[in-house]
C-alpha cells in the first residue's frame, strides 16, 4: 500500500508538479423531498393500475417532466426562475360570468340537437367559418395569445425592460398595395420593405371622445447603438379611431433593415390616453431624415408619460432587406448603404493539455495560430 | 446684404447637418431579435437527447394532444415555451363544432392552427413528435393535411453550418 503512494509521490516530485489528494468530504443527509416512486407499494405489484397503452404512459411522462422537482434539472439550469413581470396595461374588463356560461351552455345544447351538424361531423365534411372563429378569438383569448407570442419575440424585454401588458384592444394594421392588394400586419408575420413603403391604414374599436397614441418603432435596426431604437411613426392625441385627425409628431419613414443583418421587428404600439397630453418634447421636425433625431427609447418615452397613458394595443411584423431599402438609404437618408456579414462566434476549445487522451492528430490544429493543417484532410 | 445671405444659407445648413451624421455607422451590428437566427437558419438546434424520444433537434415543434374530451395543438420551442396554441376547449372553436373530439374536430383545429401559425410568422414546424402507429390514424392524417393546405410546412430546414 505504501509503495504505489511513494512511487506516485516521487513521480510527482520528479515532474515538478505536485499531485493533490484532497477530496471534498461528502456529508450524508436526508433527501430534500420525496423520492420518485416512493408511494408505489413494491410488495403488492398485482394490485397496481397498469398503463395498458404507450400513449397513456408517454403523456404521464411528459407531464411529470414539466413539473418542478427538488433535485437539479436541466430545465432549472437553462431557465432560472424569473420574478413575476409587472403589468402596465389596462385592467381586465370581463362581463358577468354566470350569464356568459348560461348562454354558452344553451348554444352547445342546440348544437348537439342539430341533426345536420351531427351528419356533417360523422361524414367528416364539417368546416367551421374561420372568420367568425377569428373574430370571437380576438374578443376572448386573443389578447393572451398575442401577449405570449410578443413575449417570445422579446418585445417586452426590449421595449419595456420586462414589464408586460395584455393588448386588450385589437389593432388592425393593413398596408395597401397598388392593385387593391392588402398586406395585413398580425403578431409576427413577414412584410417586405417595398410593401411597407407608404403609411398603413390602422383601425381599432374606440369610444367617442377617447384619445390614443400610435407609435411604430424598430428595436433591432440601430446602426450605432445596440440598445436604442429607431422611431418610424408617431401620431398623438388621436380622437377615436381617426388617425388622420391626430397630431403627427414624426412623419412615416419606410422600414430600412440593412443588408446582411437578417430580420428586424417593427412594432406598432397603441397607447390609450387618459386626457390630452403635451408631446412638445417628442416633436421631430418635418421632414426628419436624420438618424440621430430618430433615435428613440420606448422605455424613456413611456416613463415620461406613464401617468397619462397606458399601452392597449400591439401588432408587429418581421422585415428583411429588399431592393427598395437601397433607394431609401440613397434618396431619403442621403447616405451610403451599409452592408453587413454574419460573423460566427469562434468555436469553443477547452484549454490545451500536454498529453491529450483519445484525441485525433488535428487536436494540434485547433490551437495553432496559423491555418495550416497537420496533414491531408485530417 | 449680409442678413439676406444668412437667411438663404440657414435652411441648407440645417438639412446638411441633419443627414451628414447618418454616415457614421458602427462596424459591429447586433440584432436583438430572438427570432432572427432561426429565421435565417443559423440558430443552434439542441442536438443531444439522442437516447430519448422525442428528440429536441428543432426550432419549433407541433404537438397534438388528443384526449377523450378535447383535442389540443401546441407549437413550442425546445425549452418547452408554448408560442401558438389552439384547442377545442376554447369557446371560439367549440361553439361551431358538434363534438370537441374526433376526426372533424381535428380537421377544423388544423385549419385554425394553420391560420394562427402563419399570423405569428411560424412557417416551418417540426411534426415528428407523434407515435408511429398513431400517425396512421384518420384524425392525425386529417390534421396534417389541414395544416399543409393551410400553408404551414411540416419540415424544418437544415441548419446552415458553413
Amino acid at each position: 500500500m505504501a509503495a504505489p503512494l511513494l512511487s506516485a509521490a516521487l513521480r510527482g516530485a520528479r515532474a515538478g508538479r505536485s499531485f493533490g489528494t484532497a477530496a471534498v468530504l461528502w456529508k450524508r443527509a436526508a433527501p430534500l423531498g420525496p423520492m420518485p416512486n416512493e408511494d408505489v407499494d413494491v410488495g403488492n405489484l398485482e394490485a397496481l393500475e397498469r398503463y395498458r397503452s404507450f400513449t397513456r404512459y408517454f403523456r404521464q411522462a411528459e407531464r411529470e417532466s414539466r413539473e418542478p422537482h427538488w433535485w437539479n434539472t436541466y430545465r432549472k439550469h437553462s431557465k432560472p426562475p424569473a420574478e413575476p413581470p409587472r403589468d402596465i396595461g389596462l385592467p381586465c374588463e370581463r362581463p358577468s360570468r354566470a350569464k356568459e356560461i348560461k348562454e354558452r351552455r344553451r348554444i352547445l345544447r342546440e348544437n348537439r340537437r342539430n341533426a345536420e351538424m351531427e351528419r356533417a361531423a360523422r361524414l367528416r365534411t364539417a368546416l367551421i367559418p374561420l372568420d367568425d372563429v377569428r373574430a370571437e378569438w380576438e374578443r376572448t383569448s386573443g389578447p393572451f395569445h398575442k401577449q405570449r407570442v410578443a413575449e417570445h419575440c422579446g418585445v417586452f424585454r426590449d421595449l419595456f425592460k420586462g414589464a408586460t401588458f395584455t393588448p386588450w384592444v385589437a389593432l388592425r394594421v393593413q398596408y395597401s398595395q397598388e392593385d387593391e392588394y392588402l398586406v395585413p400586419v398580425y403578431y409576427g408575420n413577414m412584410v417586405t420593405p417595398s410593401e411597407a413603403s407608404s403609411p398603413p391604414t390602422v383601425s381599432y374599436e374606440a369610444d367617442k371622445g377617447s384619445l390614443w397614441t400610435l407609435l411604430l418603432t424598430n428595436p433591432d435596426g440601430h446602426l450605432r447603438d445596440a440598445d436604442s431604437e429607431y422611431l418610424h411613426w408617431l401620431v398623438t392625441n388621436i380622437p377615436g379611431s381617426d388617425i388622420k385627425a391626430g397630431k403627427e409628431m414624426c412623419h412615416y419613414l419606410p422600414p430600412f433593415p440593412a443588408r446582411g443583418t437578417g430580420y428586424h421587428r417593427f412594432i406598432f404600439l397603441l397607447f390609450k390616453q387618459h386626457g390630452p397630453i403635451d408631446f412638445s418634447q417628442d416633436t421631430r421636425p418635418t421632414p426628419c431624415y436624420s438618424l440621430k433625431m430618430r433615435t428613440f427609447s420606448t422605455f424613456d418615452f413611456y416613463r415620461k408619460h406613464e401617468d397619462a397613458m397606458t399601452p392597449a394595443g400591439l401588432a408587429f411584423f418581421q422585415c428583411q432587406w429588399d431592393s427598395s431599402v437601397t433607394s431609401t438609404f440613397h434618396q431619403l437618408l442621403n447616405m451610403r448603404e451599409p452592408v453587413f456579414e454574419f460573423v460566427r462566434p469562434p468555436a469553443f476549445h477547452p484549454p490545451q493539455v500536454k498529453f491529450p487522451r483519445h484525441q485525433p492528430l488535428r487536436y494540434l490544429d485547433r490551437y495553432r495560430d496559423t491555418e495550416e493543417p497537420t496533414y491531408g484532410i485530417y | 446684404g449680409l442678413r439676406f445671405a444668412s437667411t438663404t444659407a440657414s435652411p441648407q445648413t440645417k438639412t446638411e447637418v441633419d443627414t451628414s451624421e447618418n454616415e457614421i455607422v458602427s462596424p459591429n451590428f447586433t440584432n436583438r431579435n430572438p427570432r432572427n437566427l432561426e429565421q435565417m437558419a443559423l440558430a443552434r438546434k439542441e442536438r443531444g437527447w439522442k437516447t430519448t424520444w422525442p428528440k429536441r433537434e428543432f426550432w419549433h415543434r407541433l404537438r397534438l394532444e388528443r384526449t377523450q374530451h378535447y383535442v389540443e395543438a401546441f407549437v413550442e420551442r425546445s425549452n418547452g415555451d408554448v408560442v401558438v396554441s389552439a384547442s377545442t376547449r376554447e369557446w371560439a372553436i367549440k361553439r361551431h363544432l358538434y363534438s370537441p373530439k374526433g376526426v372533424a374536430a381535428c380537421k377544423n383545429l388544423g385549419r385554425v392552427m394553420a391560420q394562427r401559425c402563419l399570423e405569428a410568422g411560424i412557417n416551418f414546424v417540426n411534426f415528428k413528435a407523434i407515435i408511429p402507429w398513431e400517425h396512421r390514424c384518420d384524425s392525425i392524417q386529417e390534421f396534417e393535411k389541414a395544416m399543409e393546405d393551410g400553408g404551414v410546412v411540416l419540415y424544418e430546414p437544415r441548419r446552415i453550418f458553413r
Side-chain angles (χ1 to χ4, degrees):
Chain A
M1 205 202 74
L5 279 176
L6 184 63
S7 57
L10 281 171
R11 231 181 291 134
R14 254 179 258 138
R17 271 194 287 125
S18 58
F19 66 96
T21 42
V24 179
L25 186 65
W26 293 104
K27 221 165 70 167
R28 281 181 0 167
L32 300 161
M35 298 298 281
N37 295 332
E38 213 176 37
D39 47 350
V40 168
D41 178 20
V42 191
N44 189 8
L45 285 173
E46 300 297 313
L48 278 179
E49 201 200 326
R50 319 289 165 87
Y51 284 112
R52 299 181 313 276
S53 81
F54 178 75
T55 327
R56 211 170 280 130
Y57 154 72
F58 183 62
R59 202 172 284 138
Q60 176 67 27
E62 290 262 284
R63 225 178 292 141
E64 195 53 48
S65 72
R66 262 173 263 156
E67 294 245 333
H69 298 285
W70 55 265
W71 55 84
N72 294 329
T73 50
Y74 179 63
R75 200 178 279 263
K76 240 189 251 177
H77 167 77
S78 59
K79 199 163 71 166
E83 51 180 67
R86 276 193 22 217
D87 188 12
I88 49 172
L90 294 167
C92 168
E93 312 137 2
R94 296 305 306 268
S96 80
R97 195 84 178 125
K99 266 193 233 164
E100 209 180 33
I101 293 178
K102 218 170 161 182
E103 181 60 32
R104 289 182 182 186
R105 279 215 191 113
R106 187 187 62 83
I107 296 179
L108 288 173
R109 245 177 288 135
E110 270 179 28
N111 278 357
R112 258 173 264 146
R113 275 185 228 138
N114 191 338
E116 273 193 24
M117 278 186 84
E118 192 271 328
R119 196 181 307 127
R122 188 166 23 99
L123 301 173
R124 301 162 185 185
T125 52
L127 291 168
I128 54 180
L130 288 178
D131 304 316
D132 292 346
V133 167
R134 186 157 203 276
E136 184 64 39
W137 170 82
E138 285 225 286
R139 258 177 291 152
T140 51
S141 38
F144 300 107
H145 289 199
K146 286 184 198 168
Q147 188 183 2
R148 204 169 44 186
V149 182
E151 174 81 43
H152 287 300
C153 289
V155 165
F156 301 125
R157 177 199 65 174
D158 290 332
L159 293 189
F160 295 105
K161 290 198 187 154
T164 49
F165 69 93
T166 319
W168 294 109
V169 177
L171 189 60
R172 271 173 290 274
V173 183
Q174 279 173 339
Y175 281 102
S176 49
Q177 309 303 108
E178 289 154 357
D179 42 348
E180 308 291 324
Y181 211 52
L182 287 170
V183 176
V185 168
Y186 298 122
Y187 38 105
N189 62 332
M190 254 291 292
V191 178
T192 52
S194 41
E195 284 166 5
S197 44
S198 47
T201 37
V202 180
S203 67
Y204 49 90
E205 274 176 27
D207 304 322
K208 227 174 167 178
S210 52
L211 293 168
W212 305 81
T213 302
L214 181 68
L215 169 70
L216 172 58
T217 160
N218 173 14
D220 304 315
H222 209 277
L223 297 165
R224 286 178 79 171
D225 175 26
D227 285 325
S228 46
E229 310 147 25
Y230 277 144
L231 176 67
H232 282 262
W233 204 21
L234 178 56
V235 191
T236 58
N237 292 316
I238 303 167
S241 57
D242 187 15
I243 305 289
K244 303 250 168 35
K247 197 159 168 230
E248 206 180 49
M249 292 288 149
C250 182
H251 71 102
Y252 182 80
L253 181 66
F256 53 93
R259 194 164 90 183
T261 50
Y263 291 80
H264 295 219
R265 298 164 287 181
F266 287 84
I267 305 168
F268 283 94
L269 281 168
L270 185 72
F271 294 93
K272 183 165 187 180
Q273 289 172 228
H274 303 311
I277 309 174
D278 174 37
F279 283 99
S280 47
Q281 282 181 350
D282 301 302
T283 323
R284 303 304 199 262
T286 4
C288 176
Y289 292 119
S290 152
L291 294 177
K292 196 170 171 194
M293 301 256 4
R294 291 245 171 194
T295 304
F296 185 71
S297 163
T298 318
F299 186 71
D300 297 329
F301 173 75
Y302 181 64
R303 256 290 162 80
K304 238 192 307 179
H305 306 286
E306 217 174 14
D307 306 314
M309 63 183 191
T310 43
L314 177 69
F316 55 99
F317 64 93
Q318 308 268 359
C319 199
Q320 211 194 7
W321 183 87
D322 155 290
S323 47
S324 68
V325 171
T326 320
S327 45
T328 313
F329 272 113
H330 290 165
Q331 263 104 62
L332 296 178
L333 298 170
N334 195 21
M335 61 188 274
R336 289 172 296 174
E337 193 195 353
V339 174
F340 295 92
E341 201 187 34
F342 179 67
V343 172
R344 278 179 196 275
F348 168 75
H349 295 303
Q352 194 177 8
V353 154
K354 193 159 183 182
F355 298 105
R357 188 165 177 257
H358 291 181
Q359 292 290 343
L361 196 57
R362 57 177 186 269
Y363 178 83
L364 299 169
D365 294 347
R366 294 174 200 157
Y367 300 96
R368 199 175 289 119
D369 285 329
T370 48
E371 262 292 317
E372 46 171 282
T374 312
Y375 66 93
I377 54 162
Y378 299 103
Chain B
L2 279 163
R3 227 186 286 157
F4 178 66
S6 63
T7 43
T8 44
S10 43
Q12 224 177 18
T13 45
K14 251 202 213 138
T15 43
E16 269 171 28
V17 159
D18 269 352
T19 54
S20 65
E21 287 195 27
N22 287 354
E23 290 264 336
I24 310 168
V25 163
S26 116
N28 300 324
F29 184 91
T30 326
N31 190 338
R32 292 188 286 179
N33 189 0
R35 290 210 62 204
N36 179 37
L37 283 179
E38 74 201 27
Q39 279 175 318
M40 286 172 60
L42 292 166
R44 275 189 265 250
K45 292 189 194 178
E46 278 192 37
R47 271 193 284 181
W49 308 96
K50 294 245 167 95
T51 50
T52 57
W53 184 87
K55 296 198 272 207
R56 316 249 176 127
E57 201 175 341
F58 54 82
W59 293 308
H60 295 284
R61 164 173 83 167
L62 178 61
R63 181 166 58 99
L64 184 67
E65 258 192 39
R66 297 180 303 155
T67 51
Q68 277 180 333
H69 302 288
Y70 54 84
V71 188
E72 297 211 316
F74 300 97
V75 167
E76 50 191 22
R77 286 224 174 104
S78 41
N79 58 0
D81 296 334
V82 173
V83 187
V84 184
S85 78
S87 137
T88 45
R89 279 194 296 181
E90 285 169 30
W91 175 242
I93 302 177
K94 191 153 70 165
R95 61 175 306 184
H96 295 282
L97 289 172
Y98 171 74
S99 88
K101 53 208 188 212
V103 183
C106 281
K107 188 166 150 187
N108 288 303
L109 190 75
R111 290 170 72 220
V112 170
M113 191 64 178
Q115 192 192 35
R116 288 188 195 174
C117 280
L118 291 183
E119 281 175 13
I122 296 167
N123 302 315
F124 299 94
V125 137
N126 179 305
F127 195 37
K128 290 267 180 326
I130 345 155
I131 302 160
W133 56 86
E134 289 213 354
H135 187 252
R136 280 183 219 122
C137 69
D138 284 344
S139 44
I140 297 192
Q141 294 280 327
E142 290 283 329
F143 178 79
E144 204 177 319
K145 202 158 90 90
M147 289 290 289
E148 298 268 348
D149 291 338
V152 181
V153 182
L154 297 176
Y155 169 75
E156 272 203 334
R158 195 166 170 263
R159 180 188 156 201
I160 298 168
F161 288 100
R162 201 171 270 278

